[in-house]
Amino acid sequence: MDPRTVSPNVSTSQTISPDGLRYKKCDPHKEENKLSALVHVGDENPFDFFRVFYESVIAGATAGVVVEAALYPIDTIKTRLQAAHGGGKVILKGLYSGLGGNLAGVLPASAIFLGVYEPAKQKLLKAFPENMSAFSHLTAGALGGAASSLVRVPTEVVKQRMQTGQFASAPAAVRLIVAKEGFKGLYAGYGSFLLRDLPFDAIQFCIYEQLRIGYKLAARRDLNDPENAMLGAFAGAITGAVTTPLDVIKTRLMVQGSAKQYKGIFDCVRTVVKEEGTHALLKGIGPRVLWIGLGGSIFFGVLEKTKQMFAERRPENRKSFSLKQN
């Protein structure tokens, strides 16, 4: 195919090829439209909610499970560091304790998060001016976090109780928690979870999306897999560090069980600072930053790759690819 020829059937939301870039030099107006289409939903095509939803659900579930399976031991060490009082000893055995039950919860939770985040993000990007894209990403991240919390909180409670050696299996943990604390025991620390995860999800995805927008516009092309992973790692590490104090409080409230050492979020903060000092609010920051940094790299890398695979299977993109080959 002649490099100067561009198929009229190619959607403006598709990736700009090197051939397309050479052609666009002759038409600045088309170049501007193409670059804008890299980060926005094309106005020419109706918003396909159900397609975006199911693709996001599958991509989110895949990315979430891969991250948890790969980095679970680091998460366990982080949890045990945060749960240890004072100079309590941290045991480095059974680092995969609770993995099976956690995966059973992470899969639907990640699916729900992306299933809400992606459609909400695209709707918000179309509803607000371009200079408010960060607000759209923050809001979509918070909405996704709130929706997935209904599954993520019980999963987190069971996981962290098992990581700290309170139960031997996920079914036993669920059964005994409900027996001793009632159904609400599965949502122990729900407020602190939202206090941590809503800003975490909003900030992490906002940083990642804004970095991708800037990178795409600067490079004048889509990102490759290593670049997506690099930006995901950076966004995860920064967000993990700044939300560590919230994570410490969430962990303490979730693992306390029926002992009820802490009466709530503010009492937990006050007690921890009084008994252990303010530095206790940064417990586990090293493993947390490592875990979420690596996790962000894997999560966003797998997420973008899965979304790319779906995009390539769409009829209009297959036709465009066939034309390029000819």
Side-chain angles (χ1 to χ4, degrees), residues 43-229:
D43 292 332
E44 296 178 2
N45 297 322
F47 181 74
D48 188 346
F49 173 82
F50 292 106
R51 176 184 58 76
V52 172
F53 176 75
Y54 85 76
E55 288 182 2
S56 301
V57 163
I58 296 174
T62 302
V65 167
V66 171
V67 170
E68 287 297 318
L71 303 178
Y72 194 78
I74 301 176
D75 182 33
T76 300
I77 293 173
K78 182 272 302 181
T79 297
R80 291 176 181 176
L81 283 170
Q82 292 179 342
H85 293 264
K89 184 178 180 181
V90 177
I91 300 173
L92 298 179
K93 293 182 180 180
L95 297 182
Y96 278 96
S97 178
L99 175 61
N102 190 52
L103 291 180
V106 164
L107 192 151
S110 298
I112 292 171
F113 179 90
L114 263 296
V116 172
Y117 173 79
E118 281 292 338
K121 179 188 74 174
Q122 296 197 27
K123 284 290 189 180
L124 289 167
L125 286 174
K126 293 182 70 176
F128 290 97
E130 183 177 352
N131 60 3
M132 293 186 65
S133 62
F135 172 78
S136 299
H137 295 138
L138 282 168
T139 304
L143 290 173
S148 64
S149 68
L150 297 175
V151 176
R152 288 164 71 181
V153 173
T155 300
E156 190 83 354
V157 169
V158 172
K159 177 191 75 173
Q160 295 197 329
R161 301 272 183 102
M162 293 185 65
Q163 287 176 329
T164 53
Q166 296 183 34
F167 303 104
S169 68
V174 173
R175 185 173 62 254
L176 292 173
I177 289 172
V178 172
K180 292 182 178 180
E181 305 169 45
F183 185 75
K184 65 179 182 180
L186 293 173
Y187 285 88
Y190 186 69
S192 63
F193 181 90
L194 293 181
L195 183 65
R196 181 204 71 170
D197 271 47
L198 293 191
F200 177 89
D201 292 330
I203 294 171
Q204 183 185 30
F205 274 77
C206 180
I207 291 175
Y208 174 72
E209 296 278 16
Q210 291 298 305
L211 287 174
R212 289 189 81 239
I213 289 174
Y215 202 116
K216 280 184 175 182
L217 292 176
R220 303 167 67 84
R221 59 173 174 78
D222 271 335
L223 278 65
N224 56 38
D225 295 339
E227 290 167 338
N228 284 322

